[in-house]
Amino acid sequence: MTHITASIVPNLWFDREAEQAAQHYIAAFGGNGRVVNTIASHPDSPSPQDVPVVVEFELAGQRFVGINGGPQFTFNEAVSLEVRVTGQEQLDRLWAALVDGGEELPCGWLKDKYGLAWQITPTEYYDLLAKGDSEGDARLMSAVLKTVGKFDIAELQAAYRGA
């Protein structure tokens, strides 16, 4: 079998706001990103000349492509982007930046103002699961399922302990 060397680049379909979304995400990540390239529309494109067809950008080292393809496709929660953060301060800051203009969802998820679903998950959550305590895991999952909006790390840790 041949080994395939490849990178996976998520392509995100927007109506007309790929460039604004890229800038919003870069700002939300504290400037840890950049627009790599924009491709202007070509004469035969249904997209207006003032809107690039493609916006290639990076967030925290991950490459993305934003496509201004029109209104026929929209995001839904079937696909989400998970960001693993460390500590409540990072979680709070990123959550506030991404949820602005969007909405809070159950289980530590949010939908941003462009309709893209995000999971802002503390690494502390995975640290608890790695302990291998099935009763603690069950209590933790119960707390997660009851959460609407962002996670409170201290509450997750207390639930895991049974406090």
Side-chain angles (χ1 to χ4, degrees):
M1 176 177 246
T2 303
H3 178 74
I4 297 175
T5 303
S7 60
I8 297 172
V9 179
N11 281 243
L12 307 174
W13 185 287
F14 296 90
D15 180 3
R16 298 176 39 91
E17 60 278 329
E19 195 166 24
Q20 296 93 328
Q23 293 298 341
H24 175 72
Y25 299 146
I26 291 165
F29 279 76
N32 186 7
R34 66 188 177 106
V35 172
V36 175
N37 191 24
T38 59
I39 300 172
S41 61
H42 53 79
D44 297 332
S45 171
S47 181
Q49 298 297 327
D50 63 335
V51 177
V53 173
V54 173
V55 179
E56 189 175 5
F57 62 100
E58 289 179 355
L59 289 177
Q62 172 67 49
R63 186 76 51 116
F64 293 86
V65 171
I67 302 168
N68 283 320
Q72 60 268 48
F73 299 114
T74 58
F75 297 118
N76 67 48
E77 293 82 357
V79 174
S80 64
L81 300 177
E82 182 186 19
V83 182
R84 295 183 182 182
V85 297
T86 301
Q88 193 68 47
E89 184 179 329
Q90 280 187 15
L91 191 153
D92 292 347
R93 193 192 64 69
L94 186 57
W95 182 276
L98 289 174
V99 80
D100 184 30
E103 64 179 298
E104 295 185 342
L105 300 173
C107 303
W109 288 39
L110 67 88
K111 190 181 291 189
D112 71 26
K113 64 184 173 182
Y114 303 103
L116 184 58
W118 296 80
Q119 300 175 59
I120 311 304
T121 311
T123 56
E124 293 85 351
Y125 167 80
Y126 290 104
D127 293 344
L128 292 171
L129 290 176
K131 292 181 178 185
D133 174 359
S134 61
E135 290 180 16
D137 291 351
R139 290 189 298 267
L140 178 62
M141 290 309 300
S142 179
V144 165
L145 293 173
K146 292 176 185 171
T147 300
V148 175
K150 71 179 177 180
F151 287 128
D152 180 304
I153 296 170
E155 287 180 9
L156 294 178
Q157 291 168 331
Y160 184 87
R161 290 189 311 270

